[in-house]
């Protein structure tokens, strides 16, 4: 049977649809089809690649990985630069420290994530994909960003160039900064020299070895009891989610596994959590914080609130409390999880653009770095500066006053209410906090509450009074994986639809100019948060002010964290690690 197919588009290159037809036809006839696109119009394709905007992505953490997973590579010439060639599922780092989960179970090579479609679909992808969709990854540190010349200066630690430095320069049209944050020591003496941290997979592995080393040291025959107690005193500085989860994991590791192997010293183990605030888990509901403190007290974990660490030496930690003054205690291992700070490369960028007085990079609601052209920042290295309603109140009034009467009717305000809520999300939050269903209720409340809805009119001063407290709902987003991942996904979608949105914008109405913004501003959606507390119990704070504490929440934690893994490989490995721990216990080898 003879079949004639039009396998090439008008420009001489094979179209994706025609390649699919060829593939299906070959499969149906039992044959094989081979395609060599390089024979047709390579020059035109190279020109197309050369015309693509150069995009550089710094970082392979939560924000950077979410961005890369959702970006359409065919639209840009993408370069990825990061000192780590893998993504780490950081919420499970405390589990790695005690052997509940193995290190390689929560990491995924970034090259696999970038080329996921190729690995999953193989021959099908080759037939359907256009050339020029490759992206490059380079394992290096970015040590400086030239915001004026649009250049990124990088340094590789694994190889050197001709001048022996390993340094290179990359040009960009668009720069996506997703480098995250580093540990914040608050300039406390001795922290960098004597404390462990828990931000990277290497940190978790070092802690795991150190825990076993402490037990082995305490088992040596020539030590007295005081020295054994010192070696078995584990101090966690910081009562946030990371510190609390590590304390819970360590307690379970000791109670369920190490006491069986070290019965002679099991009564000498002490775990202390030091928190400068009045409670641990301050970002959670107070009910969760109180339950966590009570459970830790039952488990024998010493929770010290109101204490501030002022100095750490190689064998003692010095704390200060308002009521008791300064005290020192010996310790065997200390883990610092008291906050995050800004990386030096970000500090340098902030100095270049006049943000040196800020804690992190400031972006607008579309994640564009304020004061820069073509630079975006997502994740822990940035914060969003939400535009205030009262800053634009005059523009809002003028825009809504279509008839230039000097007063606004309820209908005129309602006509732009949806766009106002998109541009100023604090408006909708404020109405919900006051249990109001419509902005008309807010206006009626400002005018005294006894005015008929249809007859309500207000001038600019009355509008200011009505919206005076709306901006109280503006809050900074937390530095969490959930926020970073949503920002990465949002920014990728913006870049994917940039050309379409130039002609058909989807954002809110512009108040001072005609038309609409190209995109809707970023809006974070909170899906809840967990705090594992040990003993197969966890606390969950979910949307709708729903609090769940206990064993059921722990199983919910298992299911959520398994489903959120970046690949099926890590999902299977993590679940198998949990099953292995249930059956055989944790591995105590000092590897």
């Amino acid at each position: 049977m003879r079949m004639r197919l039009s396998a090439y588009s008008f420009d001489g290159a094979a179209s994706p649809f025609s390649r699919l037809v060829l593939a299906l036809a070959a499969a149906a006839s039992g044959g094989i089809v081979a395609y060599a696109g390089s024979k047709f119009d390579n020059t035109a394709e190279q020109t197309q690649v050369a015309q693509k905007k150069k995009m550089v992505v710094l970082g392979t953490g939560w924000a950077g990985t979410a961005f890369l997973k959702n970006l359409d590579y065919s639209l840009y010439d993408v370069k990825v630069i990061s000192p780590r060639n893998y993504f780490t599922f950081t919420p499970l780092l405390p589990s790695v420290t005690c052997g509940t989960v193995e290190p390689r179970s929560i990491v995924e090579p970034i090259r696999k994530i970038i080329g996921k479609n190729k690995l999953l679909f193989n021959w099908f992808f080759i037939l359907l994909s256009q050339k020029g969709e490759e992206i490059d990854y380079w394992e290096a540190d970015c040590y400086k960003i030239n915001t004026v010349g649009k250049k990124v200066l990088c340094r590789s630690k694994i190889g050197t160039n001709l001048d022996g430095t390993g340094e290179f320069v990359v040009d960009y049209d668009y720069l996506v900064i997703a480098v995250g944050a580093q540990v914040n020591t608050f300039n406390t003496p001795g922290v960098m020299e004597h404390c462990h941290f828990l931000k990277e997979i290497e940190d978790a592995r070092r802690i795991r070895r150190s825990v076993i080393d402490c037990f082995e040291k305490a088992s040596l025959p020539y030590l007295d009891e005081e020295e054994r107690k010192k070696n078995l005193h584990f101090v966690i500085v910081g009562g946030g989610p990371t510190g609390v989860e590590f304390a819970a994991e360590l307690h379970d590791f000791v109670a369920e596994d190490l006491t069986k192997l070290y019965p002679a010293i099991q009564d000498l183990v002490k775990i202390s959590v030091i928190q400068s605030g009045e409670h641990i888990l301050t970002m959670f509901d107070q009910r969760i914080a109180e339950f966590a403190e009570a459970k830790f007290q039952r488990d024998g974990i010493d929770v010290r609130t109101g204490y501030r660490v002022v100095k750490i030496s190689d064998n003692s930690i010095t704390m200060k409390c308002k009521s008791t003054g300064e005290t020192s205690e010996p310790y065997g291992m200390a883990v610092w999880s008291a906050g995050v700070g800004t990386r030096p490369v970000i500090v340098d960028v902030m100095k270049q653009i006049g943000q040196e007085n800020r804690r992190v990079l400031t972006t607008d609601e579309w994640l564009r770095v304020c004061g820069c052209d073509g630079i975006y920042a997502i994740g822990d290295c940035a914060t969003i500066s939400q535009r205030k309603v009262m800053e634009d109140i005059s523009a809002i009034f003028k825009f809504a006053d279509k008839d230039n009467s000097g007063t606004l009717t309820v209908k005129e305000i309602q006509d732009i209410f949806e766009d106002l809520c998109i541009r100023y999300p604090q408006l909708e939050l404020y109405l919900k906090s006051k249990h109001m269903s419509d902005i008309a209720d807010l206006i009626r409340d400002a005018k005294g509450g006894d005015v008929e809805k249809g007859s309500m009119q207000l001038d600019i001063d009355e509008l200011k009074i009505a919206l005076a407290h709306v901006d109280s709902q503006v809050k900074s987003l937390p530095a969490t994986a959930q926020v970073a991942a949503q920002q990465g996904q949002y920014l990728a979608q913006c870049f994917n639809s940039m050309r379409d949105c130039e002609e058909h914008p989807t954002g809110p109405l512009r108040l001072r100019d005609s038309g609409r913004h190209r995109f809707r501003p970023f809006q974070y959606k909170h899906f809840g948060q967990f705090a594992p507390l040990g003993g197969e119990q966890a606390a969950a704070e979910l949307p709708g002010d729903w609090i769940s504490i206990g064993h059921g929440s722990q199983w919910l934690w298992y299911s959520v964290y398994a489903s959120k893994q970046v690949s099926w490989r890590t999902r299977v490995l993590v679940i198998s690690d949990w099953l292995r721990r249930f059956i055989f216990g944790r591995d105590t080898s000092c590897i």
Side-chain angles (χ1 to χ4, degrees):
M1 181 178 70
R2 300 181 66 182
M3 180 181 294
R4 183 174 180 179
L5 294 175
S6 176
Y8 300 98
S9 58
F10 291 112
D11 61 358
S15 66
F17 176 74
S18 61
R19 276 176 256 175
L20 176 59
V21 173
L22 282 173
L24 296 177
S29 60
I32 301 174
V33 61
Y35 169 70
S38 61
K39 293 171 62 178
F40 298 93
D41 206 4
N42 267 343
T43 304
E45 193 166 323
Q46 291 171 1
T47 302
Q48 182 184 4
V49 173
Q51 291 175 347
K52 290 180 180 179
K53 294 284 189 180
K54 298 175 183 176
M55 176 183 290
V56 175
V57 181
L58 301 178
T60 53
W62 279 94
T65 300
F67 178 78
L68 292 170
K69 285 182 66 178
N70 292 277
L71 181 67
D72 184 353
Y73 305 148
S74 66
L75 301 177
Y76 304 95
D77 180 15
V78 185
K79 313 293 182 187
V80 183
I81 301 170
S82 173
R84 284 167 293 280
N85 70 343
Y86 54 85
F87 164 79
T88 304
F89 192 85
T90 52
L92 287 180
L93 281 177
S95 298
V96 175
T97 62
C98 299
T100 305
V101 173
E102 290 301 314
R104 292 191 179 276
S105 299
I106 65 168
V107 298
E108 183 75 2
I110 197 65
R111 293 182 185 274
K112 277 191 175 181
I113 295 173
I114 291 171
K116 186 176 73 169
N117 289 338
K118 292 182 182 179
L119 295 174
L120 288 177
F121 301 112
N122 203 352
W123 67 271
F124 187 74
F125 182 90
I126 295 172
L127 287 169
L128 296 183
S129 66
Q130 295 283 359
K131 298 184 84 173
E133 296 180 10
E134 298 288 342
I135 72 174
D136 293 316
Y137 165 78
W138 296 318
E139 185 174 332
D141 273 303
C142 171
Y143 66 90
K144 187 174 181 61
I145 298 171
N146 184 343
T147 59
V148 177
K150 291 195 170 185
K151 297 180 185 296
V152 173
L153 284 68
C154 306
R155 183 184 296 117
S156 175
K157 296 180 180 179
I158 59 175
T160 59
N161 50 14
L162 293 177
D163 61 8
T165 63
E167 296 182 356
F168 58 95
V169 179
V170 184
D171 298 328
Y172 69 85
D173 296 305
Y174 298 117
L175 175 63
V176 178
I177 304 176
V179 297
Q182 65 180 14
V183 174
N184 190 354
T185 65
F186 302 98
N187 297 319
T188 305
V191 173
M192 295 300 296
E193 295 83 3
H194 306 297
C195 284
H196 292 280
F197 306 107
L198 195 49
K199 282 191 66 64
E200 308 290 347
I201 197 73
E202 294 88 350
D203 298 332
R205 298 179 72 169
R206 281 192 288 267
I207 291 174
R208 183 173 177 177
R209 288 192 296 267
S210 183
V211 170
I212 302 301
D213 283 342
C214 287
F215 274 83
E216 293 296 347
K217 286 179 186 177
S219 300
L220 293 173
Y222 51 80
L223 297 182
D224 58 25
E225 185 168 323
E226 289 301 317
E227 192 67 20
R228 288 191 172 96
K229 285 183 177 180
K230 167 187 171 297
N231 285 319
L232 294 177
H233 185 197
F234 301 95
V235 177
I236 298 100
V237 182
T242 301
V244 167
E245 186 171 350
F246 171 65
E249 281 280 354
L250 181 58
H251 173 268
D252 286 355
F253 188 28
V254 172
E256 298 172 6
D257 299 278
L258 294 178
T259 54
K260 300 174 184 177
L261 302 177
Y262 303 90
I265 57 175
Q266 60 177 327
D267 295 332
L268 304 179
V269 179
K270 181 180 179 181
I271 301 173
S272 299
V273 178
I274 301 172
Q275 167 72 345
S276 59
E278 295 303 317
H279 295 280
I280 61 175
L281 297 177
T282 54
M283 67 291 301
F284 282 78
D285 187 276
Q286 186 177 353
R287 290 168 288 179
I288 291 178
E290 292 173 353
F291 178 86
E293 290 172 3
K295 184 181 185 306
F296 276 11
Q297 185 176 9
R298 291 194 302 270
D299 291 340
I301 299 175
D302 182 23
V303 178
R304 301 190 182 187
T305 57
Y307 280 82
R308 182 172 61 88
V309 175
V310 295
K311 182 182 177 182
I312 298 178
S313 66
D314 59 346
N315 56 17
S316 67
I317 181 168
T318 304
M319 302 166 283
K320 183 181 287 187
C321 179
K322 290 182 179 180
S323 58
T324 61
E326 193 170 294
T327 59
S328 294
E329 280 198 20
Y331 72 94
M333 188 190 80
V335 175
W336 185 274
S337 62
V340 294
T342 309
R343 295 189 182 275
V345 64
I346 301 299
V347 173
D348 181 69
V349 172
M350 292 164 65
K351 290 179 180 178
Q352 292 183 51
I353 62 177
Q355 293 188 14
E356 59 268 17
N357 295 326
R358 297 184 179 273
R359 185 177 58 86
V360 290
L361 275 174
T362 300
T363 72
D364 63 13
E365 298 91 328
W366 290 270
L367 308 182
R368 300 172 298 198
V369 176
C370 301
C372 291
D373 177 34
I375 301 182
Y376 300 78
I378 51 180
D380 295 354
C381 66
T383 186
I384 297 174
S385 178
Q386 174 61 50
R387 188 78 178 173
K388 305 292 194 300
V389 170
M390 296 308 293
E391 293 175 349
D392 297 334
I393 192 70
S394 297
I396 292 172
F397 186 90
K398 184 177 179 181
F399 184 84
D401 188 15
K402 300 297 185 182
D403 57 2
N404 297 319
S405 62
T407 59
L408 296 181
T409 64
V410 173
K411 184 180 185 308
E412 286 178 320
I413 298 176
Q414 289 177 332
D415 286 344
I416 65 167
F417 177 68
E418 183 177 351
D419 288 285
L420 289 179
C421 288
I422 296 173
R423 185 68 180 86
Y424 310 98
Q426 63 265 36
L427 176 57
E428 188 172 7
L429 292 174
Y430 184 77
L431 292 176
K432 288 182 179 179
S433 69
K434 296 296 182 180
H435 305 288
M436 297 178 178
S437 59
D438 191 2
I439 196 170
D441 298 330
L442 183 62
I443 296 171
R444 184 187 293 110
D445 184 66
K447 290 181 74 69
D450 57 352
V451 184
E452 289 295 328
K453 179 177 177 180
S455 62
M456 282 193 299
Q457 290 189 348
L458 67 166
D459 57 24
I460 187 169
D461 292 327
E462 292 173 322
L463 181 65
K464 288 179 180 179
I465 294 172
L467 303 181
H469 303 291
V470 166
D471 292 326
S472 64
Q473 293 296 317
V474 175
K475 295 179 176 64
S476 297
L477 296 178
T480 63
Q482 192 174 167
V483 172
Q486 289 187 32
Q487 288 180 341
Q489 183 177 4
Y490 162 83
L491 189 59
Q493 292 170 350
C494 289
F495 274 107
N496 292 344
S497 59
M498 189 170 289
R499 293 180 183 176
D500 292 338
C501 289
E502 289 285 355
E503 299 179 3
H504 308 287
T506 59
L509 290 166
R510 296 180 183 271
L511 296 178
R512 294 179 174 85
D513 300 312
S514 60
R516 292 181 173 272
H517 291 276
R518 282 188 300 178
F519 315 109
R520 295 171 69 100
F522 172 75
Q523 192 164 358
Y524 170 64
K525 185 175 182 181
H526 186 60
F527 292 106
Q529 53 188 349
F530 289 93
L533 303 174
E536 293 302 314
Q537 295 189 65
E541 184 177 358
L542 302 175
D545 195 31
W546 184 52
I547 302 297
S548 175
I549 302 173
H551 297 286
S553 298
Q554 180 67 34
W555 285 102
L556 180 61
W557 179 86
Y558 282 132
S559 61
V560 170
Y561 276 29
S563 66
K564 292 297 182 182
Q565 293 300 312
V566 73
S567 71
W568 274 103
R569 184 191 72 86
T570 57
R571 190 171 293 119
V572 171
L573 287 175
V574 165
I575 294 174
S576 64
D577 285 344
W578 287 335
L579 292 174
R580 171 188 52 76
R581 196 267 296 179
F582 276 118
I583 299 171
F584 302 107
R586 300 170 180 84
D587 180 23
T588 58
S589 303
C590 189
I591 299 176

